[in-house]
Amino acid sequence: MARENKSRYVILGLLAHEPMTGYSIKKKIESSISNFYDISYGQIYPELARLEEQGLVVMKEDTNENGIVRKVYSITVDGHGQLQDWIAKPVEEEKIHYDILLKLFFGGQISVGENIEHIKAFRDRAATKLEMFEEFEATLRILLGESVDHAYYLLTVMFGKKAYKAYLEWADYAIDYLSEHKNKRGGCCE
Amino acid sequence: MARENKSRYVILGLLAHEPMTGYSIKKKIESSISNFYDISYGQIYPELARLEEQGLVVMKEDTNENGIVRKVYSITVDGHGQLQDWIAKPVEEEKIHYDILLKLFFGGQISVGENIEHIKAFRDRAATKLEMFEEFEATLRILLGESVDHAYYLLTVMFGKKAYKAYLEWADYAIDYLSEHKNKRGGCCE
DNA sequence: GGAGGCATGTAAAGGGTTACATGATTGA
DNA sequence: TCAATCATGTAACCCTTTACATGCCTCC
């Protein structure tokens, strides 16, 4: 995590599809991969400037009828090359970095009830996300013929679906488990 | 992610169990929560100094028979209070931040074969981790009576088990899916 | 008139990794 | 003797978030 400057490749990846402004890059990320990736304007604009300097993207000012200027960026051949190199490189090892697990690991420091509340909140979020991914899946399966990209997008959505389904099942299990234990013995902190 | 200085609470959490040196804190993390949390010495030592300055831990120099000094840190009442406050606070929303999903989202930029290779590598890692979690589970179920902490530890292990099982199933599905597509149409980049 | 979206940025601060630096002990 | 483990730290650098700053347009 952190060493590789993913933001630059995500930006290049989106520009490989179509020219965009910094603002639209942000919006696109929010509407597509926000579940797997985050970015802020504080990263996008300086990164676009750097990419331009290095010749990986080119900027064209687009003035509309009202005289408002938008900076539209397009990917160059060099940029495309670096993008492909990055995508083809071996995938970084993944790690589960969830607050819930860290806090649960130290769960003995608070009451069983508080731990259950934490898991319930997690459970609700997982349920919402699962629904969302299921809707995405339905939509995508209809659009599937249109472009090869949709197949890859679908695979990421399927990951989300299967992952959150497992998370939800775990949460139900964990809540049951702790509820039982809470009843069996009074607990140290109840 | 990032705004809350988790490292300080993880350190406090471990010190709540027993006094430790910076070095042993690192080792403990590696042998227990390394799957859910990472830390480096570059974080531990300065953080311990800060915690001491703020009175959340106290340091005692422990000189052994050879005259070697170890700095052993213990948590204070204040430290314990802040630890509990943190654990009791609502859990941060979790996000799936996996390189594999980012690269797969841009999978159309490389060949189907390369994408399959990426997923296979992911699959193998998931299989290894799943096995590891299953072994942890078996060990923990035996030790379960010893301490309340083991129950919470078990829950995090169960999460790992269920998560990686789902990841593994997804990977098998994704490999099949792409293999089929590869055979159906030549693909743009094959 | 005001809210919300479009659009572009900067600056400070914080969190975290990597590399460097050092040195003793222990077991093979 | 050599590698590994115990043990403590610093410095540079990078990535990222948050907050601030600005201004136009459109729709209600």
Side-chain angles (χ1 to χ4, degrees):
Chain A
M1 191 183 262
R3 205 78 331 226
E4 204 183 16
N5 199 353
K6 273 176 210 176
S7 60
R8 81 167 4 208
Y9 297 109
V10 172
I11 291 171
L12 288 176
L14 293 177
L15 292 182
H17 201 244
E18 57 181 333
M20 282 194 246
T21 67
Y23 186 82
S24 66
I25 286 170
K26 176 83 156 59
K27 294 295 140 183
K28 188 80 185 195
I29 288 171
E30 280 170 11
S31 70
S32 59
I33 39 173
S34 67
N35 283 291
F36 311 124
Y37 186 75
D38 260 339
I39 202 164
S40 60
Y41 291 121
Q43 255 184 295
I44 291 174
Y45 289 112
E47 191 63 51
L48 280 170
R50 250 170 274 141
L51 287 168
E52 197 192 2
E53 217 181 296
Q54 293 165 25
L56 307 185
V57 304
V58 280
M59 189 266 280
K60 213 190 136 194
E61 295 206 331
D62 178 72
T63 312
N64 74 356
E65 65 269 17
N66 301 317
I68 292 174
V69 179
R70 300 184 328 144
K71 297 188 173 180
V72 180
Y73 293 86
S74 315
I75 195 168
T76 64
V77 175
D78 274 9
H80 204 259
Q82 287 212 11
L83 171 62
Q84 283 186 323
D85 288 349
W86 175 74
I87 301 174
K89 252 199 291 180
V91 170
E92 255 177 36
E93 200 181 327
E94 41 287 318
K95 231 162 210 178
I96 297 176
H97 275 311
Y98 296 160
D99 214 33
I100 180 77
L101 298 172
L102 220 45
K103 288 190 171 175
L104 205 54
F105 183 76
F106 297 120
Q109 302 291 324
I110 56 171
S111 73
V112 179
E114 283 174 300
N115 279 295
I116 292 175
E117 283 313 307
H118 280 344
I119 301 170
K120 276 188 179 159
F122 173 85
R123 202 214 98 97
D124 291 347
R125 282 194 295 274
T128 305
K129 294 221 178 176
L130 178 56
E131 266 179 53
M132 200 194 60
F133 277 111
E134 280 171 341
E135 279 165 34
F136 273 157
E137 187 196 353
T139 311
L140 266 176
R141 290 209 181 269
I142 295 165
L143 302 171
L144 212 54
E146 280 179 24
S147 147
V148 198
D149 292 329
H150 284 107
Y152 290 110
Y153 192 10
L154 178 66
L155 287 180
T156 65
V157 167
M158 291 305 288
F159 186 96
K161 183 184 149 186
K162 282 169 187 274
Y164 280 108
K165 207 176 165 198
Y167 297 173
L168 188 61
E169 283 169 14
W170 169 80
D172 285 333
Y173 164 82
I175 292 166
D176 274 7
Y177 183 84
L178 287 183
S179 300
E180 259 180 53
H181 281 242
K182 194 180 169 186
N183 295 335
K184 258 199 287 191
R185 38 180 169 68
C188 67
C189 316
E190 200 56 35
Chain B
M1 187 182 271
R3 204 81 333 226
E4 205 183 15
N5 199 353
K6 272 176 209 175
S7 60
R8 84 169 1 211
Y9 298 110
V10 171
I11 291 171
L12 288 175
L14 293 177
L15 293 182
H17 201 245
E18 57 180 333
M20 281 193 247
T21 67
Y23 185 83
S24 66
I25 286 170
K26 175 82 157 55
K27 294 296 140 183
K28 189 82 184 191
I29 288 171
E30 280 169 13
S31 70
S32 59
I33 40 173
S34 66
N35 283 293
F36 310 124
Y37 186 75
D38 260 340
I39 202 164
S40 59
Y41 292 121
Q43 254 184 293
I44 291 174
Y45 289 112
E47 191 62 51
L48 280 170
R50 250 170 273 141
L51 287 167
E52 197 192 3
E53 216 180 299
Q54 292 165 28
L56 307 186
V57 304
V58 281
M59 189 264 282
K60 212 191 137 195
E61 296 206 332
D62 179 71
T63 311
N64 73 357
E65 64 271 18
N66 301 317
I68 291 175
V69 179
R70 300 185 327 144
K71 297 187 174 180
V72 180
Y73 293 87
S74 314
I75 195 167
T76 64
V77 175
D78 274 9
H80 205 259
Q82 286 213 12
L83 171 63
Q84 283 187 323
D85 288 350
W86 174 74
I87 300 175
K89 252 197 292 178
V91 170
E92 255 177 34
E93 199 182 326
E94 41 286 318
K95 231 159 210 183
I96 297 176
H97 274 312
Y98 296 160
D99 214 33
I100 180 76
L101 297 172
L102 219 45
K103 288 190 171 175
L104 205 54
F105 183 75
F106 297 119
Q109 302 290 324
I110 56 171
S111 73
V112 178
E114 283 174 299
N115 279 293
I116 291 176
E117 284 313 306
H118 280 343
I119 302 171
K120 276 188 179 158
F122 172 85
R123 202 213 99 97
D124 291 347
R125 283 194 295 274
T128 305
K129 294 219 175 172
L130 177 56
E131 267 180 53
M132 199 194 60
F133 278 111
E134 280 171 343
E135 279 165 34
F136 274 157
E137 188 196 351
T139 311
L140 266 176
R141 289 210 182 268
I142 295 165
L143 302 172
L144 212 54
E146 281 178 24
S147 149
V148 198
D149 291 330
H150 284 107
Y152 290 109
Y153 193 10
L154 177 66
L155 286 180
T156 65
V157 167
M158 291 304 286
F159 187 96
K161 182 184 151 188
K162 281 166 187 275
Y164 280 107
K165 205 174 166 199
Y167 297 174
L168 189 62
E169 282 168 16
W170 168 80
D172 286 332
Y173 165 83
I175 292 166
D176 274 5
Y177 183 85
L178 286 184
S179 301
E180 257 178 55
H181 280 242
K182 194 179 168 185
N183 296 334
K184 259 200 285 191
R185 37 180 169 68
C188 67
C189 316
E190 199 55 35

